[in-house]
Amino acid sequence: SNDSLRAELEDLRNLRLLRAIKERGSLTRAAAACRITQPSASARIARLERMTGLSLLARTPGGSRLT
């Protein structure tokens, strides 16, 4: 169905964003690599953190890293 396809695409986008954060060490650079805005990337991460109940990123002045 369209809903399940939409959910799968969202999951893939989230995985790509997490991989980009790991590779680039920065949410801003990861967002640019994924061709989304930094606020959109932050919102995605916040949504994932709420869904999982976990802190997914360690945010530092020098960037971000996955926990």
Side-chain angles (χ1 to χ4, degrees), residues 37-62:
T37 65
Q38 186 274 331
S40 176
S42 290
R44 283 184 189 208
I45 295 299
R47 190 168 45 251
L48 286 171
E49 289 177 329
R50 280 193 310 274
M51 288 172 54
T52 62
L54 301 171
S55 175
L56 299 175
L57 290 184
R59 294 162 177 91
T60 66

Side-chain angles (χ1 to χ4, degrees), residues 1 11 16 21-22 24 33 36 43 49 54 56 58 63-64 66:
S1 80
D11 289 345
R16 285 186 189 126
I21 293 168
K22 180 178 179 4
R24 289 164 177 79
I36 60 174
E49 289 177 329
L54 301 171
L56 299 175
S64 299
L66 299 180

